Amino acid sequence: MAHATVRVGRPPFAFRVQGPDDWMLLETAPNTWERSVERILADRAVELGRLPARQRRQLAALLEDVVAAAQQTGVVLSLVKLARDASDRLFCGSLALSWYDSTPLRADLAFTRLAAGEARRVEELDTPAGPALLRREALPQPIPALELFGDGLSHSAQAFLPVAGTCWTALVTGTVGHASHAGLLDLLVRRMVRSLRVQPQPRDRRLQFQ
């Protein structure tokens, strides 16, 4: 039996993905993330309105936590949205794209089911790049800063998309802090994973399997 050590990184092929137009890019590189956090907070100040100093610090801490998680898990694209919903409730959401390398095992739906693990709601969905799995769950919030936005739970949706003929799986992960925003998050994760396009490798560079 072949065993795989799952690694994160960028695949050896080109790809394109599209996120929501009204979400902002959060840069996560060590030399740029602080300026990116400051820019996002300044840009959303008018929509969020005047917040107490404690809440402003919580917002900054939340974005810093998103950066730290992205750096630790090899995220290649991080998007965030800070706003108020129709009920004037604070909204904070994050969307991220990661890639996982399962060499020497081929990336397929069977392997993806193992990676997705157990969850209350897992379903298969079709995308232009092939079949994917969508997992949803709600967990106790591990981040104190989310108390500003939430209902005591962290609501997430993850789409796993194995790229046929390779050892690479794309993972689109979204998180919000309130159940009333979970439906929107589900829709956005679906749209984002379905937007993923992979450029095939030249024939002489394609991975070989035995």
Side-chain angles (χ1 to χ4, degrees):
M1 172 182 282
H3 295 274
T5 299
V6 177
R7 293 170 290 272
V8 298
R10 286 181 177 270
F13 46 81
F15 61 90
R16 292 184 295 112
V17 70
Q18 183 176 350
D21 292 338
D22 58 344
W23 288 51
M24 300 186 69
L25 174 66
L26 175 60
E27 297 180 37
T28 59
N31 61 334
T32 61
W33 72 263
E34 289 183 282
R35 291 193 300 274
S36 183
V37 167
E38 292 171 358
R39 175 179 55 83
I40 290 172
L41 291 175
D43 184 84
R44 308 316 300 167
V46 174
E47 182 171 355
L48 294 175
R50 295 191 61 181
L51 297 174
R54 176 175 174 270
Q55 291 188 346
R56 290 198 301 271
R57 289 193 299 269
Q58 284 181 305
L59 278 177
L62 179 59
L63 294 178
E64 291 170 9
D65 286 334
V66 173
V67 169
Q71 292 175 344
Q72 292 169 6
T73 58
V75 166
V76 299
L77 176 66
S78 181
L79 304 174
V80 297
K81 184 175 178 64
L82 302 177
R84 289 189 180 275
D85 64 16
S87 301
D88 202 38
R89 180 185 294 113
L90 287 169
F91 173 93
C92 180
S94 65
L95 290 166
L97 172 67
S98 307
W99 286 93
Y100 293 88
D101 176 12
S102 57
T103 301
L105 297 184
R106 182 194 300 264
D108 58 22
L109 210 57
F111 179 81
T112 301
R113 290 188 186 279
L114 293 176
E118 295 184 6
R120 281 188 171 184
R121 301 175 65 188
V122 177
E123 68 175 273
E124 186 173 335
L125 67 153
D126 293 324
T127 81
L133 292 180
L134 181 70
R135 178 180 73 181
R136 311 177 196 84
E137 56 187 343
L139 299 172
Q141 292 177 347
I143 304 173
L146 279 175
E147 296 173 0
L148 175 62
F149 301 92
D151 55 8
L153 297 174
S154 176
H155 303 268
S156 69
Q158 292 182 303
F160 300 77
L161 174 57
V163 178
T166 79
C167 298
W168 290 88
T169 298
L171 174 60
V172 176
T173 302
T175 304
V176 292
H178 200 280
S180 63
H181 303 145
L184 173 62
L185 180 73
D186 183 276
L187 175 64
L188 294 177
V189 169
R190 289 171 182 269
R191 286 180 177 174
M192 192 164 169
V193 74
R194 283 176 172 147
S195 77
L196 187 66
R197 299 292 185 274
V198 172
Q199 179 177 319
Q201 293 177 281
R203 184 175 299 276
D204 60 351
R205 293 181 58 196
R206 290 182 184 172
L207 301 177
Q208 300 297 316
F209 296 92
Q210 296 182 347

